[in-house]
Amino acid sequence: MFLFASFGSLWSGLALPLGAPPWSLGTTEIGLFGLAGLAGALGAGRWADAGHAQRITSWALVLLAASWLLIARTGPTLVPLVVGVVVLDFAVQAVHVSSQHLLTTAHPDRAGSVIGAYMAFYSLGSALGAVTTTWAHTAWGWWASCLFGGLYALTGFTVWGSAQRWIPDRRPKINQPTFRTRYATMISRR
């Protein structure tokens, strides 16, 4: 939920500073920022299947929080903002793909309902980000919207970190047979 609150903070509020001075961009130019986001989204992908989903989630959430430092910099050039958008979308897609992989791996018999619940929190988070970014921008400006986006990312990291103690350690213990070894032993006994 906090991942998508951070995501919603950017994409629901980005038109506000871009449409205002000093840039005063039109809707077409603002819409082109979606291409920067697409570049970030295309970078996320294969690592979850290789067994790195938890590690990807941790560094991607840190990267998400750091991206807000670039996004908040709306100085004379838009380069930091564009780089921040690419990094933010990459981080969000990396966590999104990893989360879906972890959920479907943990609950293969009810993947549809688990992903449905996940997407409900996705929607709630996006709505939370949209509401708070417009409110913060109206009250205090773009820096406040960025502060909320960064705080949502850090809250997501904190929730993820605290949940790690509830996840069983599935790595093989020293001198304990791995699944492959147990399977080979079972087959050889037949």
Side-chain angles (χ1 to χ4, degrees), residues 101-168:
H101 173 81
L102 289 168
L103 288 169
T104 56
T105 301
H107 307 286
D109 54 326
R110 53 181 192 205
S113 60
V114 170
I115 294 298
Y118 172 79
M119 294 307 289
F121 281 98
Y122 172 112
S123 298
L124 289 172
S126 294
L128 176 64
V131 167
T132 56
T133 197
T134 52
W135 169 75
H137 187 273
T138 301
W140 300 291
W142 182 241
W143 71 269
S145 294
C146 294
L147 179 64
F148 272 97
L151 288 174
Y152 289 138
L154 291 173
T155 304
F157 180 77
T158 302
V159 169
W160 171 84
S162 65
Q164 293 310 297
R165 65 186 175 140
W166 301 105
I167 297 173

Side-chain angles (χ1 to χ4, degrees), residues 45-57 59 98 101-102 105 170-171:
R46 297 180 208 139
W47 302 308
D49 286 334
H52 306 295
Q54 291 294 349
R55 194 173 3 194
I56 290 165
T57 299
W59 66 255
S98 296
H101 173 81
L102 289 168
T105 301
R170 296 194 177 156
R171 293 175 294 179

